[in-house]
Amino acid sequence: MDNATVFVLVVAIMSLTGISAIAQHKYYARTVRRLAREHDEPGHVLVTGRGKSRFRGAIVVLVLRAGDEVIKAAMVLEGASVLARFKPRPDWVGRSAREPLPGASPRVAAAVAEARSRVPGRRVRKAPGGAGVSSRP
């Protein structure tokens, strides 16, 4: 292969990567907007969280009752590619986000913990090591 062919191949791969990243972002935004529209009620909040590992990640979108963090709706995206899609988790509805959730991988559990940390009004105190620790159970 000559330099021009390699250059064209690299540009094509980078373009496909950029286009697929934009498509995944739009899919994420559509999912969040749809959940926000469907669950726009007083006393409920929509929060998101992300859990990562070396090769795969997870994103959760939760609709919670603000006071007790009971799940009203949950969507989970778990995977390693831009082809990953959100899956509803109806088995989590009615459960507390403070408790371990059934069928949650370590990445999803980390994403739920991050989402819980974003609930408005949640008090966070500093731990001796400097990391934030929730003052609520």
Side-chain angles (χ1 to χ4, degrees):
M1 275 200 217
D2 62 343
N3 287 341
T5 305
V6 171
F7 177 75
V8 168
L9 186 63
V10 168
V11 168
I13 290 172
M14 290 176 62
S15 297
L16 284 174
T17 302
I19 290 168
S20 62
I22 290 169
Q24 188 174 40
H25 174 73
K26 286 184 175 188
Y27 173 69
Y28 169 82
R30 268 194 324 268
T31 301
V32 170
R33 278 194 305 270
R34 181 176 50 81
L35 277 175
R37 187 177 53 251
E38 291 173 359
H39 301 284
D40 185 19
E41 300 171 17
H44 291 88
V45 295
L46 185 143
V47 290
T48 64
R50 182 176 69 155
K52 296 189 321 184
S53 69
R54 184 176 204 103
F55 296 110
R56 294 180 51 143
I59 297 173
V60 298
V61 181
L62 302 173
V63 177
L64 306 173
R65 280 197 317 235
D68 57 4
E69 296 182 11
V70 170
I71 298 171
K72 183 165 182 201
M75 299 287 281
V76 175
L77 182 144
E78 191 170 15
S81 76
V82 295
L83 301 176
R85 293 291 178 236
F86 277 103
K87 294 180 179 72
R89 294 301 305 256
D91 55 326
W92 291 3
V93 174
R95 294 180 175 267
S96 174
R98 298 173 183 167
E99 304 295 326
L101 297 168
S105 69
R107 289 178 302 277
V108 172
V112 169
E114 182 179 318
R116 283 188 60 228
S117 73
R118 295 177 182 202
V119 173
R122 186 180 168 91
R123 297 181 312 273
V124 177
R125 60 181 163 80
K126 291 290 183 183
V133 176
S134 171
S135 60
R136 291 185 351 195

